[in-house]
């Protein structure tokens, strides 16, 4: 045994073995593989020039390995910086909420428990002295939705206290089913406010609408497009209406179902068709006419106004992977909000946005996309243009497809809100493990596109992947026939 060991050591220190070792170091340097290790006996047996050459090769290999790892680490960190959700922690590995009961809970109890744990986790980040957020959901008809919202604001007294209103917006869910667009389709609206008690009725507010298909804003190819809110805020600035007098800036969202029944190949397309401004009566008619005469205008981000756009779609894919069924309970990621309304409330309360400073607080859409309920069945994929029946604001059970790609909050900025956004950033990182501004390109460059390429890339890819583009564009009443690829500024100036 001892003889065999001595022979092995001798063989390891032979000139041929040493030559092979040096070559292995060179190969490692070239291939970026593992760097060989040498014993003291092997190194001592080498001639000085051999050892120097080996050590030089090994040093170069280690440096190349370190440089390569640094490039990998930088790429990983850059990728992490672009992620919306960072390393999500599934429920099986998430810490159990303190005091959680061990007995089985029904869906509502489980959802309430998870929500309570999230509220507790958010508590240390909340702004002090915030009035809180209340949300009222109402049912309207598509053809008269703006008028019905205005009537509610009057009857509730909120129209007389715009300083208590954060905003109003159409809930971007598709209710019902069937084919085509109907003016009597139910559209829900959320009224976001901070009124502590009932208010006396007052006069109905005005509603000013800007059509996304009209050329309101001057843009050249390559320049950033105007946000819906940029145009509305430019108008409000010219009209002399501050946030304390504004009842809400809301994107107009059209959702239409194409195709019949529930067979694979149907689609439900959501898109923004304009923006509405709700304001007290007698403040806006002449200002709107004046702006129309001035167009196309150079609407840019309005000074002193912060517009936050947050990515809800990525959270939705984690907590509600199917648009046609409610969010998952128990949640696979219980630290993430289950609804966009919960996220909206969190942002307002953590940043500390006051209603008298707020122009807009909404869950909405940006680019056209398909809301169809897509899921696996066996070895295939099924796509339906109807969701399961769920309660709606008027108490009726209706088929629902959940929409909402983003949240938009626009408010008068201040140093206090800069501090609030720092708290929000900490809350995102430490609790949500997210960066919700990522994945949003609200002011993307204007592109000169035409025909089918008028669809923004994301929506175009969704539809083409589903192999429905041809049928979609052949269908009568295609909504893309009206809305240009860049709202309010099409065509761009040459």
């Amino acid at each position: 045994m001892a003889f065999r060991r001595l022979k092995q050591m001798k063989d390891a220190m032979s000139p041929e073995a040493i030559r092979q070792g040096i070559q292995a170091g060179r190969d490692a340097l070239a291939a970026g593989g593992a760097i060989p290790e040498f014993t003291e006996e092997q190194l001592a047996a080498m001639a000085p020039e051999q050892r120097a050459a080996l050590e030089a090769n090994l040093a170069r290999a280690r440096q190349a390995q370190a440089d390569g790892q640094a490039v990998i680490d930088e790429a990983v960190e850059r990728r992490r910086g672009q992620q919306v959700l960072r390393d999500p922690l599934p429920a099986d590995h998430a810490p159990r909420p303190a005091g959680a009961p061990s007995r089985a809970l029904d869906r509502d109890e489980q959802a309430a428990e998870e929500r309570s744990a999230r509220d507790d986790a958010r508590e240390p980040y909340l702004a002090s002295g915030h009035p809180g957020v209340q949300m009222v959901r109402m049912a309207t008809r598509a053809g008269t939705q703006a008028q019905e919202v205005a009537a509610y604001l009057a009857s509730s007294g909120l129209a007389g206290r715009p300083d208590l209103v954060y905003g109003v917006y159409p809930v971007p869910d598709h209710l019902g089913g069937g084919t085509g667009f109907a003016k009597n389709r139910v559209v829900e609206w959320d009224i976001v406010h901070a009124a502590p008690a009932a208010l006396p009725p007052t006069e109905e507010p005005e509603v000013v609408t800007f059509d996304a298909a009209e050329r309101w804003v001057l843009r050249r190819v390559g320049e950033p497009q105007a946000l819906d809110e940029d145009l509305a805020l430019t108008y409000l600035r010219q009209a002399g209406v501050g946030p304390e007098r504004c009842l809400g800036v809301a994107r107009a969202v059209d959702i239409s179902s194409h195709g019949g029944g529930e067979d694979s190949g149907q689609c439900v397309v959501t898109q923004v068709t304009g923006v509405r401004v709700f304001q007290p009566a007698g403040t806006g008619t002449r200002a709107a006419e004046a702006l129309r005469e001035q167009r196309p205008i150079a609407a840019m981000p309005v000074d002193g106004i912060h517009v936050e756009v947050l990515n809800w779609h990525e959270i939705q894919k984690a907590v509600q992977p199917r648009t046609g069924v409610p969010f998952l309970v128990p949640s696979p990621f219980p630290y993430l909000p289950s609804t966009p309304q919960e996220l909206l409330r969190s942002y307002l309360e953590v940043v500390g946005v006051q209603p008298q400073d707020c122009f807009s607080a909404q869950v909405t859409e940006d680019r056209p996309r398909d809301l169809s309920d897509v899921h696996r069945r066996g070895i295939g994929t099924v796509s339906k243009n109807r969701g399961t029946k769920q309660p709606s604001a008027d108490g009726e059970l209706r088929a629902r497809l959940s929409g909402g790609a983003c949240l938009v909050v626009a408010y008068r900025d201040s140093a206090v809100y800069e501090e609030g956004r720092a708290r929000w950033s900490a809350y995102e990182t430490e609790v949500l493990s997210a960066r919700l501004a990522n994945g949003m390109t609200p002011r993307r460059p204007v592109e000169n596109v035409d025909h089918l390429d008028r669809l923004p890339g994301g929506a175009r890819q969704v539809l083409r992947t589903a192999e429905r583009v041809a049928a979609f564009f052949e269908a009568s009443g295609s909504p893309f026939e009206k809305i240009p690829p860049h709202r309010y500024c099409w065509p761009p100036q040459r």
Side-chain angles (χ1 to χ4, degrees):
M1 178 68 69
F3 175 78
R4 184 180 303 168
R5 174 62 178 157
L6 288 173
K7 186 176 186 304
Q8 290 174 345
M9 292 176 63
K10 180 179 178 182
D11 292 343
M13 292 183 290
S14 68
E16 179 60 22
I18 293 172
R19 185 193 66 76
Q20 292 174 356
I22 294 175
Q23 186 60 44
R26 290 172 177 160
D27 293 343
L29 176 62
I35 299 174
E37 298 292 336
F38 293 87
T39 65
E40 286 298 326
E41 292 87 349
Q42 288 175 315
L43 293 174
M46 296 180 188
E49 61 274 12
Q50 288 178 319
R51 181 166 181 171
L54 175 62
E55 290 178 344
N57 282 336
L58 292 177
R60 287 195 294 271
R62 292 189 183 101
Q63 185 61 49
Q65 190 177 64
D67 292 344
Q69 187 61 47
V71 171
I72 293 173
D73 292 344
E74 181 182 356
V76 169
E77 189 59 32
R78 184 168 57 250
R79 175 62 180 144
R80 283 174 58 85
Q82 296 170 347
Q83 286 179 319
V84 178
L85 303 181
R86 297 182 173 185
D87 303 326
L89 188 64
D92 291 345
H93 301 88
R96 187 179 180 84
S102 57
R103 65 182 178 84
L105 302 177
D106 66 21
R107 177 184 171 86
D108 291 343
E109 289 176 327
Q110 178 72 39
E113 180 186 288
E114 293 176 357
R115 175 66 181 269
S116 178
R118 290 195 295 270
D119 291 344
D120 291 343
R122 189 171 63 253
E123 183 74 25
Y125 301 90
L126 296 178
S128 60
H130 192 265
V133 178
Q134 299 186 47
M135 294 189 183
V136 176
R137 179 160 293 187
M138 60 177 296
T140 70
R141 295 293 173 177
T144 56
Q145 54 187 298
Q147 299 93 312
E148 292 181 60
V149 172
Y152 174 82
L153 291 170
S155 64
S156 66
L158 290 172
R161 292 295 308 273
D163 58 312
L164 295 176
V165 180
Y166 293 100
V168 300
Y169 65 89
V171 178
D173 293 355
H174 181 262
L175 298 179
T179 304
F181 174 80
K183 290 186 177 182
N184 63 350
R185 180 174 64 85
V186 173
V187 177
E188 295 174 327
W189 278 71
D190 280 347
I191 316 298
V192 190
H193 68 91
L199 300 169
T202 187
E203 189 178 4
E204 283 194 16
E206 291 179 349
V207 184
V208 176
T209 301
F210 298 93
D211 190 335
E214 296 184 32
R215 189 169 179 255
W216 291 90
V217 180
L218 184 65
R219 285 292 184 271
R220 292 180 173 84
V221 172
E223 293 182 338
Q225 69 175 15
L227 277 179
D228 308 77
E229 292 72 27
D230 291 339
L231 175 58
L233 291 168
T234 298
Y235 156 73
L236 287 169
R237 178 67 58 89
Q238 291 194 21
V241 177
E244 68 284 347
R245 298 177 60 208
C246 177
L247 289 160
V249 171
R251 295 184 185 183
V253 178
D254 173 63
I255 307 176
S256 50
S257 175
H258 292 260
E262 298 184 357
D263 297 330
S264 179
Q266 313 312 310
C267 58
V268 177
V269 178
T270 178
Q271 62 177 345
V272 177
T273 59
V275 64
R276 295 186 176 102
V277 178
F278 292 78
Q279 59 195 21
T283 59
T285 303
R286 282 184 291 180
E289 292 173 353
L291 192 66
R292 180 176 292 276
E293 293 175 359
Q294 298 169 23
R295 64 182 191 173
I297 62 174
M300 298 297 288
V302 178
D303 292 340
I305 306 300
H306 182 82
V307 180
E308 189 81 61
V309 182
L310 301 177
N311 190 328
W312 166 253
H313 185 51
E314 290 299 317
I315 295 182
Q316 183 187 35
K317 288 193 296 185
V319 301
Q320 187 186 0
R322 287 183 56 185
T323 60
V325 296
F327 59 84
L328 298 177
V329 177
S331 175
F333 306 101
Y335 58 90
L336 293 174
S338 295
T339 67
Q341 287 73 29
E342 182 185 346
L343 181 63
L344 180 60
R345 183 189 302 271
S346 298
Y347 181 86
L348 293 172
E349 293 182 346
V350 170
V351 178
V353 178
Q354 300 289 326
Q356 65 268 23
D357 290 326
C358 197
F359 287 98
S360 176
Q362 57 180 320
V363 179
T364 189
E365 296 287 346
D366 185 18
R367 305 193 194 188
R369 66 189 184 104
D370 187 1
L371 294 186
S372 297
D373 182 28
V374 180
H375 63 283
R376 285 198 161 278
R377 179 180 293 172
I379 61 173
T381 300
V382 176
S383 175
K384 295 183 178 181
N385 66 347
R386 292 174 65 94
T388 59
K389 287 190 174 183
Q390 302 172 46
S392 53
D394 59 1
E396 296 291 330
L397 290 175
R398 289 188 173 85
R400 181 183 294 267
L401 293 172
S402 297
C406 60
L407 277 61
V408 180
V409 185
Y411 51 94
R412 182 166 47 200
D413 207 2
S414 69
V416 172
Y417 294 144
E418 289 181 5
E419 296 175 2
R421 289 193 293 274
R423 283 195 305 274
W424 175 256
S425 180
Y427 172 70
E428 279 187 314
T429 301
E430 297 165 9
V431 177
L432 302 182
S433 188
R435 275 288 178 263
L436 298 179
N438 288 350
M440 297 283 95
T441 53
R443 296 187 178 94
R444 66 186 187 276
V446 172
E447 299 174 326
N448 190 10
V449 291
D450 195 12
H451 195 48
L452 294 184
D453 287 337
R454 294 186 307 165
L455 276 174
R460 182 172 63 246
Q461 186 61 36
V462 167
L463 295 176
R464 284 180 175 166
T465 301
E467 297 181 348
R468 292 184 293 218
V469 158
F472 181 76
F473 277 93
E474 289 172 3
S476 60
S478 167
F480 293 104
E481 293 175 357
K482 178 183 178 184
I483 302 303
H486 297 282
R487 301 189 288 273
Y488 314 107
C489 62
W490 196 259
Q493 186 178 24
R494 298 293 181 180

